[in-house]
Amino acid sequence: MYENIKFEVNEGIGTVTINRPKAMNALNMDVLTELYDVFTKIESDDEVKAVILTGEGKAFVAGADIAQMHKLNPIGGRQMMMLGHKVMNLIENIEKPVIAAVNGFALGGGCELAMACDIRIASEKAKFGQPEVGLGIIPGFGGTQRLARLVGKGMAKYLIMTAEMIGADEAYRIGLCEKVAAPEELLSVAEKVARTIASKAPIAIATAKTAINNGFDMDMKSASKFEIETFTAAFSSEDKTEGMGAFLEKRAPEFKNR
Ligand code: HXC
């Protein structure tokens, strides 16, 4: 059992809730270790078709744990950063869709965690930001890279250098979240999106994620070639026969689990 997170599965949708509200769900080594563990299990759990990641209370995640980091020497800080990267990379690369339901503060490592997810849905109360430079450090869970890739280099530099906190509407405007929902509707909106994705062919969803993630950092020629190979994998799946057959027979498709 976990001490800092909750995990439940409801009809194919897994929900991971970071549950350290007294510390605004700050990511210490224990939380990061539990997140790594739960997403490793989710990866091989055929029951889970899509995942929602959210936070308990006022915050999504208010960053890496400052009290813990304050005590760490540079080697300890590096270890924490490496563990953080492992968690973010796992979430980003897991062959299942992961939706961040950003309920409140998503600061520092919290904003980085949201950015490692495939899709971000923000509550109208959410606040995003990278306040690290005010603490004498820089984003260290991939934020300097993922933020620039999501919102562009100039806006990433603006947010990281000013440490400005922005609301959900501004985050939506710059492409840091894909949807904004009323606070009381956040989880149901996230679940609706998760169920929509989960109703599609799982291999096609996994393949699309791989193609977008990997192709994004390639040159166009290599990325197009990569799309051809990943497309071929999807085209060879039983789900392709089922999906197209169902369309032609005017019925709903019944896709395989994986
Ligand atoms: C540890 C934290 C915390 C954090 C909040 N708390 N954020 N503890 N690490 N990141 C704790 C507070 O110390 C306090 O504990 C309790 O949570 C409630 O917080 P308050 O500040 O009293 O609440 P509020 O006034 O509502 O302000 C909320 C807030 C503020 C705006 C989110 O807490 C804040 O600015 N937090 C820090 C945000 C931040 O700088 N994040 C980036 C961290 S660096 P007590 O015991 O007093 O009740 C980072 C680097 C990643 O993420 C890469 C590392 C390798």
Side-chain angles (χ1 to χ4, degrees):
M1 277 316 286
Y2 299 114
E3 283 178 20
N4 301 287
I5 62 174
K6 291 187 279 183
F7 176 55
E8 56 186 26
V9 183
N10 177 17
E11 291 172 11
I13 308 300
T15 301
V16 177
T17 307
I18 301 174
N19 187 27
R20 235 195 129 204
K22 275 191 203 148
M24 297 271 165
N25 299 326
L27 301 174
N28 61 19
M29 296 285 230
D30 289 342
V31 184
L32 289 168
T33 302
E34 290 184 11
L35 282 172
Y36 192 78
D37 187 84
V38 77
F39 276 96
T40 303
K41 292 198 170 102
I42 286 169
E43 192 169 31
S44 57
D45 185 345
D46 284 352
E47 208 197 320
V48 181
K49 296 189 179 123
V51 187
I52 296 170
L53 175 62
T54 193
E56 187 67 45
K58 242 169 92 173
F60 174 69
V61 165
D65 191 310
I66 299 169
Q68 189 169 62
M69 282 191 293
H70 183 59
K71 292 190 202 129
L72 292 175
N73 65 17
I75 292 171
R78 190 167 192 275
Q79 281 168 344
M80 185 176 194
M81 193 182 70
M82 302 266 284
L83 178 58
H85 271 271
K86 261 177 73 176
V87 173
M88 308 298 150
N89 290 339
L90 175 61
I91 292 172
E92 189 169 63
N93 293 305
I94 195 173
E95 287 194 340
K96 295 183 184 190
V98 184
I99 297 164
V102 183
N103 50 302
F105 294 108
L107 303 176
C111 188
E112 294 173 300
L113 182 63
M115 289 192 288
C117 297
D118 298 304
I119 293 167
R120 286 143 295 280
I121 302 176
S123 153
E124 285 162 355
K125 284 190 181 162
K127 299 265 182 229
F128 294 80
Q130 298 286 165
E132 286 90 344
V133 293
L135 298 166
I137 57 170
I138 65 167
F141 291 162
T144 57
Q145 305 311 307
R146 288 196 182 90
L147 189 59
R149 283 164 174 74
L150 263 181
V151 303
K153 237 173 162 180
M155 188 56 85
K157 285 178 183 166
Y158 177 85
L159 289 172
I160 289 172
M161 290 178 178
T162 64
E164 189 176 304
M165 234 193 262
I166 58 169
D169 286 346
E170 177 66 356
Y172 179 74
R173 191 187 71 79
I174 65 173
L176 186 49
C177 68
E178 285 67 45
K179 246 181 194 302
V180 179
E184 64 281 7
E185 287 168 9
L186 176 68
L187 286 179
S188 59
V189 171
E191 188 177 329
K192 197 168 170 225
V193 174
R195 291 210 179 279
T196 300
I197 298 172
S199 72
K200 310 297 181 198
I203 290 177
I205 295 296
T207 309
K209 178 167 172 169
T210 305
I212 295 168
N213 275 348
N214 290 281
F216 200 80
D217 293 326
M218 294 178 191
D219 64 275
M220 189 62 191
K221 201 171 154 197
S222 312
S224 298
K225 172 83 180 128
F226 190 72
E227 186 189 78
I228 290 166
E229 302 314 332
T230 45
F231 177 92
T232 305
F235 205 79
S236 313
S237 70
E238 285 178 34
D239 286 348
K240 170 256 178 187
T241 311
E242 170 61 15
M244 294 190 185
F247 174 81
L248 295 173
E249 290 161 23
K250 302 189 189 302
R251 62 172 175 83
E254 280 180 42
F255 293 119
K256 302 270 178 234
N257 276 337
R258 294 277 283 167

